[in-house]
Amino acid sequence: MQEEREKARQLAEFLRTRRAALTPEQVGLPSGERRRTPGLRRAEVAMLAGISVDWYTWLEQGREIQVSTQVLDSLSRALRLNDIERKHLFLLAAGHLPPNQYSPQQNVSRLLQEFLDRQGESPAFVVNSRWDVIAWNQAARLVYGDYEAMSARERNSLWRLFTTNQAKQLLADGWETNAKLRLAQFRTNYANHVGDPWWEQFIEDLHQQSEKFREWWPLHHVIDVPEGEKRLYHPLAGSLRFGHLSFQALDSVDLQVTVNIPLDPSTTDKMKKLCSKSPSSQA
């Protein structure tokens, strides 16, 4: 009970600060007469969100009331919340993450690309919520394939795992373990997209293309953890041993950054030779 009261108090403070950060001009309203306090009025936020002033006032007073997903989405738009703020709003008001109703991100900031490039001989890449690889460094391109030359479908890591011989050859005996783990992670993300046309068509296409996908998809395994150690068998460099580190980009809840760090001197030397023989080519 105390926890719920504290969440309601935190929600009230969050809404007040977001309201105070906006000006009428930012949301298309006339500024009117001079205001005693900065930001929008409660009535203006309620009007923009399409809810009653009383209902919005109760939220800012910290009352413990039930709020629907539709109302929270309306408030997110009215208050011009970014992805991280929207996520915070849902966690405080509803106790769960919001459904993802936005198109997945397809590019990264210059700073994030610079981070990838600075990983040197450590293959590094970024995936979005669909597990599309949308950015990479030279080492990742040399190990996992020329992303630049791939189609959008081929750059999807789940599609490549289940439909290409290249992935099976690269992972060798570890293919099944890696494929099951990636499938479980994909299904975890799918929970936020059930009914979305892209996801449903993609899953149907994988059913058509992969016998293993047809066998494992009905098992409903879900997991969201990094893989840890990964062994690869590269056609030029030979056996490679990496530590697998994944984390979320703070400027976008949609993106996951992965860095494969060489775990032994042999892998480090092989990656240095592999990278030295190829010119840099980035997206």
Side-chain angles (χ1 to χ4, degrees):
M1 195 67 180
Q2 180 62 34
E3 181 180 350
E4 293 302 316
R5 284 196 292 269
E6 178 60 22
K7 275 191 174 182
R9 187 183 69 80
Q10 292 288 335
L11 173 62
E13 291 181 1
F14 179 67
L15 291 172
R16 285 195 293 270
T17 60
R18 298 286 77 78
R19 177 167 63 85
L22 290 174
T23 65
E25 292 83 0
Q26 285 177 294
V27 297
L29 295 175
S31 58
E33 73 280 2
R34 184 183 177 118
R35 296 172 181 240
R36 290 178 297 176
T37 58
L40 299 178
R41 298 186 176 101
R42 287 175 176 174
E44 290 170 333
V45 174
M47 179 191 69
L48 291 169
I51 60 178
S52 73
V53 178
D54 285 343
W55 188 258
Y56 180 74
T57 300
W58 294 339
L59 288 173
E60 279 207 8
Q61 289 175 343
R63 298 196 189 185
E64 296 176 40
I65 56 177
Q66 296 297 315
V67 188
S68 69
T69 295
Q70 290 76 16
V71 167
L72 293 176
D73 272 329
S74 295
L75 281 174
S76 295
R77 291 189 293 270
L79 293 169
R80 303 298 195 266
L81 302 185
N82 61 32
D83 285 352
I84 295 175
E85 290 170 331
R86 179 172 177 259
K87 176 181 175 182
H88 187 63
L89 173 66
F90 268 78
L91 288 173
L92 289 176
H96 60 76
L97 294 173
N100 192 339
Q101 297 176 345
Y102 303 122
S103 297
Q105 195 163 328
Q106 295 296 338
N107 49 60
V108 300
S109 66
R110 268 193 314 184
L111 186 61
L112 183 50
Q113 183 63 58
E114 179 72 15
F115 170 81
L116 299 179
D117 295 340
R118 286 180 180 241
Q119 299 313 301
E121 295 83 25
S122 296
F125 55 89
V126 178
V127 298
N128 61 20
S129 59
R130 293 177 176 175
W131 290 96
D132 299 323
V133 178
I134 64 169
W136 54 88
N137 65 359
Q138 181 194 17
R141 180 181 63 82
L142 294 172
V143 170
Y144 293 110
D146 188 358
Y147 293 111
E148 190 74 49
M150 296 179 189
S151 67
R153 177 60 63 90
E154 290 168 339
R155 279 197 294 270
N156 183 277
S157 59
L158 190 74
W159 182 268
R160 198 162 64 255
L161 261 176
F162 279 90
T163 66
T164 69
N165 288 327
Q166 188 257 354
K168 293 177 181 176
Q169 292 166 357
L170 190 64
L171 290 163
D173 293 342
W175 177 83
E176 182 170 326
T177 298
N178 278 271
K180 285 182 175 179
L181 178 60
R182 181 68 74 239
L183 178 59
Q185 292 171 319
F186 179 84
R187 184 179 272 283
T188 299
N189 285 8
Y190 171 62
N192 260 345
H193 304 275
V194 174
D196 181 284
W198 184 92
W199 287 74
E200 301 301 338
Q201 185 61 57
F202 183 79
I203 291 166
E204 176 59 30
D205 290 347
L206 274 173
H207 272 91
Q208 297 296 323
Q209 294 292 324
S210 171
E211 180 182 352
K212 287 298 184 182
F213 184 87
R214 290 195 298 272
E215 177 184 343
W216 296 339
W217 182 252
L219 300 179
H220 285 264
H221 293 315
V222 291
I223 191 171
D224 188 17
V225 294
E227 286 94 326
E229 183 175 330
K230 175 176 287 187
R231 290 180 179 272
L232 302 177
Y233 298 88
H234 192 273
L236 297 179
S239 177
L240 301 171
R241 183 167 165 255
F242 294 108
H244 185 99
L245 177 66
S246 293
F247 53 91
Q248 188 178 76
L250 286 179
D251 59 350
S252 176
V253 297
D254 189 44
L255 301 184
Q256 177 175 286
V257 182
T258 294
V259 181
N260 293 155
I261 303 170
L263 288 180
D264 53 47
S266 175
T267 298
T268 300
D269 290 343
K270 290 174 183 177
M271 286 303 303
K272 286 181 178 178
K273 290 177 182 177
L274 191 64
C275 290
S276 67
K277 293 177 181 179
S278 177
S280 177
S281 175
Q282 300 300 325

